[in-house]
Amino acid sequence: MPAPGPLARLAAPQATRSNALHAGAWWLWALGLAAAASRTTNPLLLALLVTVAGYVVAARRTDAPWAHAFRFFLLLGAFVVVLRVLFAVLLGSPIGGTRLLFTLPEMPLPGWLESVRLGGRVTGEAVMFAACDGLRLATLLICLGAANALANPARLLKSLPGALYEAGVAVVVAMTFAPQLVADLLRLRDARRLRGRRDRGVRALLGVARPVLEGALERSVALAAAMDARGYGRTAEVPRAVRRTTTALTLGGLLGVCAGSYGLLAAEGAGLGLPLLAAGLLAALGGLLLGGRRSARSRYRPDRFGARAWLVAGAGAAVAVLVGLASAADPLALNPPAVPLTAPAFPPGAAAAVLLGLLPAVVAPRPAARPAAPAAKEAPA
């Protein structure tokens, strides 16, 4: 039998428990897309980022409860855009403009609120600026929603540092129970509909809320009993000097990250921003490593960050770096001015960089095929 060629070796295998992609790789990929979205207000590039994230989710998500949360992030993103435009229309915008769309009745405000207005002139430039700004925030949320739909929260919890284990458990429980509450709500509404009862309105919601909350309480009690039986919350004794050093490194690292981030964003401290950010990250990592000594736990069959995980994480990092370089090289193309109102240009270089985010749809292991529905038998003649 001939040996498989290089293209066959790159073909994505079917996902199993042993070769499933590391959950951290999905988050690094999504954070790379989110970082790229934060560097542009071009609606064409933002729409392309949403399309890339949605395609990868459609190609690689499973049937797990958290995998169906992506549509809720899409709805949340649409709500953010509409809300941002509505605020710009009602409360005004710092962007001027000459293309008057309509004029709302303006409400007089006291002198100490002179910088705020209610109503007044609404220009096309202000609406376009608000829509692009809201679309950027919506794209950030959608990219994080893609990671939420693709990464197994339980496997991600296994890879967290010991110092973040307790906080990670709380986040994983919240992320796991929220889709289950939605599934219970939909199931009970279908049951009411089959019984001929109303499934809409306040009375129907009150009738469904009680069994949903009872089910959530039962799951919470069962989870608490299981965690207690497995020794959750047990900590190891560490010297006082180690605890003080851990606290100092963690707090100092967080302050360094905040100061470094401010230095990178502000024009005055650009020279000190990067060193402060690097020093803060190193100090925070040191604090996390020392803090993990208090968590006395073992990992059964830990997940490995293999070659495919590096490719997925590297695709997200490449998108972030290349879009950042394109933003520095051609800032007007990636952040088009709102005044005058013109159609946004399509930068081909930045678009090609965004398309690198499709790599996980090729190299990540394929989810198990869904079982086909049984064919209906024909009635005998």
Side-chain angles (χ1 to χ4, degrees):
M1 186 175 181
L7 293 179
R9 287 194 295 269
L10 283 177
Q14 184 170 331
T16 61
R17 185 176 180 85
S18 59
N19 70 349
L21 197 72
H22 196 285
W26 287 121
W27 277 99
L28 292 175
W29 167 79
L31 290 175
L33 296 186
S38 66
R39 301 303 302 270
T40 178
T41 55
N42 191 317
L44 300 179
L45 286 180
L46 293 174
L48 186 60
L49 281 167
V50 173
T51 304
V52 167
Y55 180 81
V56 174
V57 169
R60 289 298 181 263
R61 73 175 179 180
T62 62
D63 285 333
W66 58 82
H68 300 280
F70 185 67
R71 59 179 179 179
F72 295 103
F73 282 91
L74 291 175
L75 294 176
L76 179 62
F79 175 74
V80 166
V81 175
V82 172
L83 189 64
R84 180 68 178 88
V85 173
L86 186 62
F87 280 171
V89 171
L90 296 179
L91 303 179
S93 173
I95 303 299
T98 58
R99 296 179 180 269
L100 181 63
L101 298 180
F102 51 87
T103 303
L104 295 175
E106 188 169 356
M107 181 181 299
L109 297 176
W112 55 278
L113 287 177
E114 59 183 5
S115 60
V116 181
R117 68 173 177 86
L118 291 176
R121 300 173 68 253
V122 178
T123 62
E125 289 84 351
V127 172
M128 185 64 180
F129 175 79
C132 292
D133 193 41
L135 182 59
R136 177 168 58 177
L137 179 57
T139 306
L140 292 174
L141 294 173
I142 291 171
C143 291
L144 298 181
N148 200 359
L150 293 169
N152 188 332
R155 298 179 76 100
L156 180 63
L157 180 63
K158 292 171 56 178
S159 307
L160 284 179
L164 300 177
Y165 182 66
E166 295 184 358
V169 168
V171 174
V172 168
V173 168
M175 291 168 57
T176 305
F177 276 10
Q180 291 179 356
L181 287 176
V182 175
D184 289 347
L185 180 62
L186 296 177
R187 177 174 54 82
L188 290 172
R189 287 183 60 184
D190 292 340
R192 289 181 63 91
R193 190 183 303 113
L194 290 174
R195 293 186 178 97
R197 300 179 182 177
R198 295 186 58 185
D199 61 331
R200 298 182 183 277
V202 178
R203 295 184 62 182
L205 180 61
L206 293 177
V208 170
R210 180 178 176 181
V212 169
L213 293 177
E214 286 179 352
L217 182 60
E218 291 177 359
R219 282 194 298 266
S220 302
V221 172
L223 177 64
M227 293 170 67
D228 184 65
R230 288 168 173 80
Y232 176 76
R234 180 170 55 91
T235 58
E237 292 293 333
V238 294
R240 181 178 299 178
V242 175
R243 294 200 301 268
R244 292 178 176 176
T245 305
T246 301
T247 304
L249 286 176
T250 304
L251 293 179
L254 292 177
L255 290 176
V257 169
C258 293
S261 302
Y262 176 78
L264 290 177
L265 295 175
E268 295 81 4
L272 295 176
L274 189 59
L276 280 175
L277 181 61
L281 288 175
L282 291 176
L285 289 176
L288 291 178
L289 291 176
L290 287 178
R293 297 175 59 181
R294 295 193 63 196
S295 178
R297 66 187 181 96
S298 59
R299 290 184 175 92
Y300 175 67
R301 296 170 64 180
D303 293 339
R304 304 295 181 185
F305 213 90
R308 296 184 184 275
W310 282 111
L311 286 175
V312 171
V319 172
V321 172
L322 293 177
V323 171
L325 293 176
S327 176
D330 192 1
L332 292 180
L334 270 75
N335 295 281
V339 180
L341 185 61
T342 56
F346 184 76
V354 171
L355 291 178
L356 290 177
L358 292 172
L359 185 62
V362 179
V363 301
R366 295 176 287 104
R370 299 176 178 88
K377 297 181 179 181
E378 295 183 0

